[in-house]
Amino acid sequence: TAFPASAETAVPVDVNADAYAALLDSYGCDADKDGVVTEEEFRSVQSLRMNPCGFEDLSWMAGMDALTSIIFEEGTLRDAAAQSLLQVPQIDTVQMYNVTLDSIDFLRDMKLKYCRMQECTPFSDSELLSIMRVEDVTVQKGFAAKGGVFPEGLFSTKDLMLTIEDTSVACLDTYGTVQSPSSNSI
């Protein structure tokens, strides 16, 4: 027969009060739902959803060893806080909904696979393009890899078409490309 068991007193992770409140408010951070986010739970969080308001420093996330995805909702993400995200190099997905940003330069250095900004501070197409990178791939027989332009999703809220007129510069086999599930871009 299965039965619930817990220690008499769980020790909360050692982060500031605002960070701890954000952890308690984010789904999945308190895995055993005992009202305490322990060091073990903190280190194993894979995805975090939070309001970035009031955070001038997010370096406390550096201890989140499994964190690969972060969602910011309803707030302001200042440059200082955004730059501290660079201390969490395993983050590969950033989504922002209704967030005011000073700049998006920090996204260039994060090496993201996916980034979506919806109802955020408007940035020009050239600013968005400046954070994009093109990754080439070398694939050994029997393996697969994803190459192309990253981060995906950056233009998911508007259409954008790029054309390279000089065919000697690039060759693209469009037969093997796939349509992005979040937009009409290829």
Side-chain angles (χ1 to χ4, degrees):
T1 302
F3 61 91
S6 63
E8 287 185 28
T9 55
V11 179
V13 64
D14 185 20
V15 294
N16 68 48
D18 291 335
Y20 192 78
L23 291 169
L24 277 177
D25 195 41
S26 186
Y27 176 79
C29 291
D30 181 14
D32 59 6
K33 297 178 179 60
D34 65 351
V36 178
V37 178
T38 63
E39 180 76 26
E40 182 180 60
E41 289 171 322
F42 176 75
R43 291 192 174 282
S44 65
V45 170
Q46 295 176 3
S47 180
L48 183 64
R49 178 184 295 260
M50 65 179 285
N51 179 319
C53 276
F55 287 98
E56 293 300 319
D57 181 15
L58 295 172
S59 61
W60 53 269
M61 289 183 190
M64 301 178 86
D65 300 331
L67 185 65
T68 58
S69 173
I70 188 156
I71 300 170
F72 292 114
E73 296 177 312
E74 306 286 333
T76 301
L77 184 60
R78 297 282 175 225
D79 273 343
Q83 288 297 325
S84 62
L85 288 174
L86 298 174
Q87 296 178 26
V88 195
Q90 73 274 12
I91 292 177
D92 63 10
T93 301
V94 172
Q95 297 180 62
M96 293 179 264
Y97 301 98
N98 199 15
V99 175
T100 302
L101 298 154
D102 293 333
S103 81
I104 55 173
D105 292 340
F106 72 98
L107 295 171
R108 180 183 310 111
D109 299 325
M110 289 188 73
K111 306 293 187 239
L112 298 173
K113 291 181 183 173
Y114 184 86
C115 180
R116 182 179 178 130
M117 295 185 295
Q118 190 170 344
E119 296 179 28
C120 294
T121 304
F123 291 96
S124 69
D125 289 346
S126 61
E127 288 173 300
L128 293 172
L129 286 169
S130 75
I131 67 170
M132 298 187 84
R133 68 188 189 286
V134 178
E135 289 186 5
D136 199 359
V137 292
T138 302
V139 185
Q140 295 178 354
K141 186 175 182 178
F143 292 89
K146 194 171 190 177
V149 180
F150 293 95
E152 291 182 83
L154 202 54
F155 289 94
S156 60
T157 57
K158 59 182 174 177
D159 292 334
L160 177 74
M161 179 179 281
L162 299 175
T163 304
I164 300 174
E165 293 179 2
D166 184 351
T167 57
S168 68
V169 173
C171 177
L172 179 64
D173 177 11
T174 57
Y175 180 76
T177 61
V178 293
Q179 186 166 339
S180 171
S182 61
S183 70
N184 292 328
S185 43
I186 293 179

